[in-house]
Amino acid sequence: MYNLLIGGAAGQGIETTATILRKALKKSGYHIFTVEDVMSRVRGGHNFSLIRFGSEDVLSHSNKLDGIIALNDETIELHKDELNKNGFILCDSTLSSNDPRTIKVDMNEMAKEIGNPKVSGSIAVGAVLKLFGEKIELAGDVLKDNVKDQYLEMNIKAMEKGFQAVEGRFPHLEGNVSLSLMINGNQALSLGAMASGLKFYAAYPMSPSTSIMEYLASKSDEAGIVVEQAEDEIAAINMAIGASFAGVRSMTGTSGGGFSLMVEALGLAGMAEIPLVVVDVQRPGPATGFPTRTEQSDLKFVVSASQGEFPRMVIALRNHTDAFYQTARALNLAEKYQIPVIILSDQYLSDSHSTVEPYDLKKAAAIYAVKPEEKGEYLRYKYTEDGISPRLIPGKTNNIVAIDSDEHDERGWITESSEVRIKMMDKRMRKLEKLKLELQEPEFFGDEAFKTLLVGWGSTEGPIKEAVESLNRMGKGKFAALVFGDIYPLPQKLLREKLALAERLINVEQNATGQLADLIREQTGISCDSNILKYDGRQISGEEITERILKEVQR
Amino acid sequence: MSTNTFSTYETAWCPGCGNFSIIDCLKTALDELNLDPHEVLMVGGIGQAAKTPQYINANAFCGLHGRSLPAAVASKIANEKLTVIVDTGDGDSYGEGGNHFIHNIRRNVNITHFVHDNQIYGLTKGQASPTSGEGFVTGVQVNGNINTPLNPMLISIAAGAGFVARAYCGNKEHLISVMKQAIEYNGYAIVDILQPCVSFNKVNTYAYYSQRVYELDDSYQPFDKVAAMQKAMEFGDRIPIGVIYQEPKPSYHQKNTVLKSGKPLIDRPDDSSIVNKFMEEFI
């Protein structure tokens, strides 16, 4: 497995170079995982992309580098300590690096000769392919898809120049993936929503959720989805509720700040029993926090957001496969139980690209609720055994449909009756009993004879998996982990079963207070023995978890 | 519940409230437009006026304070066959929902917005609303309201609304006619309905309005924007009622590329082959 960093200032073309490289490497049949580390600015600063690739499954990023493409001196200064001994720093001859691992190429000069300074990125692509023992032909088609026709010839020439300018460095790896998608979390989530019949999406732009709206908008005409940019997040969620009430599958998405504005309406969906999916792509808070960075600090907020009590479900996305299937499932569950379902993603998952098996659309298809029979007086909030009342769509039958954010009777009419209040509250809460029967247990992996059990949730799955594998390989003890996807209501069966076997329980979370540990303690009375927490906005890596377990826990 | 008439239910309004004549006029307008209750969606927020959807026999969405417009426009986007009417108060529309008010004028979804404008908060028992006059004394504005009253007609015209009207609950025949025109208008139509609050507003009474309100006649043509803005600013000794500004404009559905042709969104089948095609772009 190799790991490459491309770094420079915003506006220097890091993203384009990284995109072409990862697409070219995909053609070699590798497993690939890329992350973007971007500052919240359009020009300047320090940004980088990481591309990790190889013949084994790549689950997350790593900070141990085999190569650096440096577009400025700062990149070298900041990252040279992460570079392996036999790694390389590829940069333009004008940079000042005197690190012995530096390979200087006259990229800027060559680009000028070719006729456009912007083709220096393609020179770097050519050089990197050579350094990793790849064939240059890989990138030809990729350039065709990513470069405008009039610049194509120049870029191909530039790539060839770069290829010739360096010697091979690393042995070529054998790619073994014949068919895969390379997709980021927000795109995967959007595809899952469309596969499950999404017809309406309303949102207000907020990093790192905006690319959901952008991707859906780019497909809206073809897919027949209305994508509406709302005037604020309050409008966005109320629109999604209105469209859902009127009978189309609807979703809204935001990050923690926008979710804060949506909170009252989340309760409306709960009270009025209108299916709704809300995506919270988490970033570090509070307030504006780190707009372009990652954190898992909204868990306790979303499980309790909004005044009063109502049934809800929270699903954390662990990876790019989850992002697709769980979003489709969220829309189906919201419809089945007539509840709000919150999807927790984060910046790490939303912006990172991963190679995944092509999705099975059949497994993500919409499951629509059976249309209720129309007999006698229609009662929108009829008391039923499982708490799920017959839901008609306004205008689609001769019945009238009334919903109310006030407490209401079976007809949907406002009431202050104590008896009705209790019956209606119980009816709503009863839906959870049935929902709990179809919760998905957390994923378990590691040594079956484990002594130490790690628990985590969401996008730290990949790093936790790598850490467990590496700790077990090192023989420093026997480790296993449970990583939650469905997280509220908290599935407890496997947790209790595995915990009975563990000598030590450690929560690994991307937040400062250990929110999953709190939730587990609240729901089960079980406390974690130690924790590995990170809250600097940068995703924890498998290596970091391993090191910290050895240093802080396994002393 | 299934019925062919727009009957009304027992209300929680004060005797003499302007809401009674407004709901009567609404029923008549809907009947005269030959609409059936199941074809109509009434949307309200929170407030005394916002209870109207709870008291009339039609589909009802009684949502959150200030948030009726986003829910209403999205319902219309989902199913354009519904006649969607937001029926709510001045606090709900211009205060808590002020941002949605401005931006849904811009959106121009084909819905109708009736604002019961009594220049006071009734449900919370008498505080200044966005349209309360300067100097208006309440339990909160104890030394008199120091804020400039908002002029909803002027704002609507300035923000680009295509149908802007004012009516008075004390002139039912006129109100019914304005309501019908507003419902039939293709696009966002706002009617600001002047309405005394008999319990809490001792200034803007029936007598106050009866002395000031006058109907716009044929000598006033509502198609000139500048003239309409001048007319909208007439709010003092004389208060004009009627259509203040009207302009044919393409509605949201006519502008939105997904909605402008084909079936209503709700009637469109899922197509997994198109999602398959999108997926292939990642291979």
Side-chain angles (χ1 to χ4, degrees):
Chain A
M1 203 182 288
Y2 295 131
N3 194 21
L4 176 74
L5 180 144
I6 306 154
Q12 277 194 308
I14 297 163
E15 204 188 325
T16 313
T17 307
T19 302
I20 291 169
L21 256 177
R22 67 176 164 79
K23 287 187 176 175
L25 290 166
K26 182 175 182 291
K27 292 203 180 282
S28 269
Y30 295 134
H31 296 269
I32 298 171
F33 195 98
T34 77
V35 294
E36 321 294 328
D37 190 297
V38 178
M39 294 178 76
S40 184
R41 53 195 287 175
V42 179
R43 286 283 183 275
H46 174 65
N47 291 352
F48 63 89
S49 289
L50 287 169
I51 303 177
R52 201 175 177 207
F53 61 98
S55 7
E56 314 111 81
D57 213 1
V58 190
L59 307 169
S60 63
H61 71 294
S62 161
N63 296 321
K64 289 189 177 155
L65 303 173
D66 299 297
I68 294 173
I69 302 176
L71 302 180
N72 57 13
D73 284 321
E74 195 186 1
T75 300
I76 302 171
E77 276 315 302
L78 287 170
H79 297 285
K80 65 182 182 191
D81 293 343
E82 298 162 353
L83 187 65
N84 294 333
K85 268 187 211 137
N86 63 339
F88 64 84
I89 300 167
L90 178 72
C91 66
D92 187 69
S93 306
T94 53
L95 294 198
S96 60
S97 169
N98 52 13
D99 190 292
R101 297 166 294 184
T102 309
I103 301 170
K104 291 192 178 180
V105 176
D106 288 328
M107 289 191 273
N108 294 349
E109 203 54 45
M110 286 159 116
K112 260 185 238 163
E113 274 170 32
I114 293 167
N116 191 331
K118 285 188 175 168
V119 301
S120 63
S122 294
I123 299 173
V125 169
V128 164
L129 291 175
K130 179 77 161 287
L131 285 158
F132 286 112
E134 299 298 330
K135 293 196 182 80
I136 190 166
E137 289 76 22
L138 290 178
D141 288 345
V142 176
L143 279 179
K144 251 180 243 166
D145 295 341
N146 287 274
V147 173
K148 281 189 189 142
D149 284 349
Q150 68 260 43
Y151 302 118
L152 182 61
E153 208 176 311
M154 269 185 204
N155 277 283
I156 290 176
K157 203 168 163 193
M159 201 169 60
E160 283 165 355
K161 285 254 185 194
F163 198 82
Q164 288 152 11
V166 296
E167 296 297 318
R169 167 74 61 100
F170 291 97
H172 171 73
L173 300 175
E174 278 310 318
N176 50 17
V177 184
S178 54
L179 184 65
S180 71
L181 312 175
M182 186 162 54
I183 194 164
N184 75 29
N186 278 353
Q187 291 162 338
L189 181 155
S190 306
L191 272 187
M194 287 193 278
S196 188
L198 184 78
K199 295 283 190 295
F200 183 77
Y201 185 82
Y204 185 84
M206 182 171 190
S207 301
S209 68
T210 314
S211 60
I212 299 171
M213 177 159 57
E214 284 174 335
Y215 182 71
L216 289 172
S218 75
K219 301 299 181 198
S220 60
D221 286 354
E222 263 183 288
I225 296 174
V226 173
V227 176
E228 185 61 20
Q229 183 178 324
E231 55 272 23
D232 54 36
E233 286 87 349
I234 302 175
I237 188 169
N238 280 283
M239 281 181 176
I241 292 171
S244 179
F245 165 72
V248 302
R249 286 216 164 173
S250 305
M251 189 166 88
T252 182
T254 184
S255 189
F259 191 90
S260 299
L261 297 185
M262 293 182 176
V263 161
E264 187 190 21
L266 188 75
L268 170 63
M271 181 62 143
E273 305 192 48
I274 296 169
L276 174 70
V277 173
V278 185
V279 181
D280 174 5
V281 186
Q282 300 164 97
R283 69 190 219 192
T288 309
F290 271 155
T292 59
R293 302 198 179 276
T294 202
E295 200 161 88
Q296 300 180 303
S297 50
D298 293 352
L299 175 61
K300 280 170 76 178
F301 173 43
V302 303
V303 303
S304 60
S306 205
Q307 75 273 27
E309 297 157 306
F310 56 90
R312 76 184 83 193
M313 182 177 188
V314 181
I315 302 173
L317 304 181
R318 289 169 293 204
N319 52 54
H320 299 74
T321 303
D322 260 9
F324 177 83
Y325 292 109
Q326 295 297 344
T327 303
R329 178 169 166 255
L331 283 158
N332 285 333
L333 290 173
E335 168 148 348
K336 180 175 176 183
Y337 293 97
Q338 304 172 21
I339 54 169
V341 177
I342 299 154
I343 294 175
L344 277 178
S345 181
D346 57 33
Q347 183 271 331
Y348 180 74
L349 178 60
S350 68
D351 288 345
S352 65
H353 285 82
S354 174
T355 43
V356 292
E357 258 183 58
Y359 303 125
D360 182 348
L361 297 185
K362 284 192 213 85
K363 287 185 185 159
I367 303 167
Y368 293 106
V370 181
K371 216 180 129 200
E373 279 180 46
E374 295 170 45
K375 269 197 299 195
E377 187 189 13
Y378 172 60
L379 298 173
R380 171 66 191 87
Y381 299 106
K382 188 179 162 75
Y383 303 128
T384 58
E385 207 171 311
D386 58 10
I388 302 169
S389 306
R391 176 169 168 249
L392 287 180
I393 300 304
K396 300 308 275 184
T397 69
N398 285 330
N399 292 284
I400 64 157
V401 184
I403 67 97
D404 201 339
S405 71
D406 292 283
E407 189 57 273
H408 43 260
D409 63 14
E410 288 182 283
R411 296 168 298 183
W413 293 4
I414 185 169
T415 180
E416 296 201 28
S417 151
S418 142
E419 188 196 338
V420 173
R421 163 67 176 179
I422 293 167
K423 279 177 108 168
M424 199 51 77
M425 194 73 182
D426 290 347
K427 180 198 96 70
R428 285 191 293 268
M429 297 313 288
R430 205 152 55 231
K431 294 191 281 187
L432 279 178
E433 298 311 314
K434 187 169 179 180
L435 173 64
K436 280 178 183 169
L437 300 176
E438 61 175 303
L439 290 178
Q440 294 178 356
E441 293 294 325
E443 203 196 343
F444 173 81
F445 48 80
D447 194 326
E448 287 289 347
F450 64 92
K451 300 268 187 240
T452 304
L453 183 65
L454 309 184
V455 286
W457 59 284
S459 76
T460 45
E461 181 201 46
I464 292 174
K465 220 175 220 177
E466 291 202 13
V468 165
E469 280 168 15
S470 125
L471 285 160
N472 285 335
R473 230 181 1 249
M474 291 159 90
K476 299 266 182 179
K478 291 184 171 164
F479 290 83
L482 285 175
V483 178
F484 288 84
D486 284 6
I487 196 160
Y488 193 88
L490 186 74
Q492 298 180 17
K493 191 172 157 272
L494 202 59
L495 176 67
R496 288 178 187 276
E497 193 181 306
K498 296 295 177 191
L499 201 71
L501 306 170
E503 287 177 9
R504 191 168 43 180
L505 184 63
I506 303 172
N507 59 307
V508 180
E509 300 185 60
Q510 196 78 30
N511 58 51
T513 55
Q515 300 193 10
L516 173 65
D518 282 358
L519 186 66
I520 290 175
R521 194 168 60 241
E522 178 199 300
Q523 301 278 320
T524 67
I526 298 163
S527 298
C528 292
D529 302 301
S530 346
N531 58 47
I532 303 285
L533 303 174
K534 191 168 195 269
Y535 42 89
D536 62 355
R538 280 81 175 165
Q539 183 86 345
I540 199 161
S541 65
E543 299 128 17
E544 270 180 281
I545 298 173
T546 305
E547 278 168 32
R548 287 182 59 179
I549 284 185
L550 295 177
K551 212 162 85 185
E552 298 170 25
V553 183
Q554 195 98 325
R555 277 176 297 192
Chain B
M1 158 88 51
S2 171
T3 167
N4 297 322
T5 55
F6 290 93
S7 51
T8 53
Y9 311 125
E10 190 193 336
T11 75
W13 290 327
C14 311
C17 178
N19 285 335
F20 290 109
S21 60
I22 298 175
I23 200 168
D24 274 353
C25 291
L26 178 65
K27 268 195 310 183
T28 308
L30 293 171
D31 277 335
E32 289 183 9
L33 290 171
N34 292 318
L35 289 161
D36 273 349
H38 75 272
E39 298 169 321
V40 175
L41 171 61
M42 299 294 303
V43 184
I46 299 297
Q48 291 293 11
K51 288 179 179 169
T52 308
Q54 293 173 344
Y55 299 149
I56 189 163
N57 177 41
N59 293 300
F61 184 103
C62 305
L64 299 172
H65 188 45
R67 315 303 169 196
S68 37
L69 280 172
V73 297
S75 298
K76 184 73 178 182
I77 288 169
N79 185 1
E80 62 201 62
K81 287 186 177 166
L82 286 172
T83 295
V84 179
I85 297 170
V86 173
D87 198 314
T88 191
D90 45 331
D92 204 56
S93 299
Y94 308 139
E96 189 93 8
N99 200 27
H100 311 310
F101 169 51
I102 292 168
H103 293 286
N104 280 301
I105 291 173
R106 298 177 48 231
R107 214 167 253 129
N108 202 31
V109 178
N110 185 13
I111 65 162
T112 311
H113 189 180
F114 295 138
V115 185
H116 303 210
D117 186 357
N118 58 7
Q119 295 156 272
I120 192 145
Y121 282 74
L123 186 62
T124 51
K125 303 191 174 173
Q127 301 78 34
S129 90
T131 51
S132 295
E134 276 187 69
F136 187 68
V137 176
T138 80
V140 173
Q141 285 72 29
V142 288
N143 297 314
N145 176 29
I146 58 171
N147 294 340
T148 306
L150 179 145
N151 183 328
M153 301 289 90
L154 195 57
I155 288 179
S156 297
I157 299 167
F163 186 99
V164 181
R166 183 181 279 133
Y168 170 48
C169 72
N171 185 341
K172 289 173 82 168
E173 200 181 325
H174 180 261
L175 174 56
I176 292 165
S177 147
V178 172
M179 280 179 157
K180 282 162 68 179
Q181 290 177 65
I183 293 168
E184 286 190 306
Y185 176 74
N186 176 41
Y188 171 82
I190 179 166
V191 183
D192 186 68
I193 305 168
L194 302 171
Q195 170 215 12
C197 172
V198 291
S199 294
F200 300 108
N201 188 336
K202 305 300 180 196
V203 178
N204 310 101
T205 60
Y206 283 103
Y208 174 94
Y209 282 120
S210 300
Q211 285 161 17
R212 289 168 171 80
V213 160
Y214 75 95
E215 277 182 48
L216 288 167
D217 60 21
D218 289 347
S219 67
Y220 176 74
Q221 291 295 307
F223 310 112
D224 178 331
K225 207 169 210 167
V226 176
M229 287 176 119
Q230 277 174 335
K231 190 55 80 180
M233 284 190 281
E234 198 179 313
F235 196 88
D237 290 342
R238 280 173 57 79
I239 302 173
I241 56 169
V243 179
I244 292 172
Y245 184 64
Q246 188 168 359
E247 175 196 352
K249 296 183 85 158
S251 71
Y252 182 92
H253 283 75
Q254 290 168 315
K255 291 182 288 181
N256 183 287
T257 49
V258 175
L259 297 174
K260 70 179 170 192
S261 57
K263 291 180 185 169
L265 201 55
I266 188 173
D267 295 326
R268 298 187 192 180
D270 295 344
D271 178 4
S272 66
S273 66
I274 194 90
V275 184
N276 205 44
K277 187 184 148 219
F278 300 155
M279 186 168 72
E280 280 170 9
E281 292 166 2
F282 295 99
I283 288 175

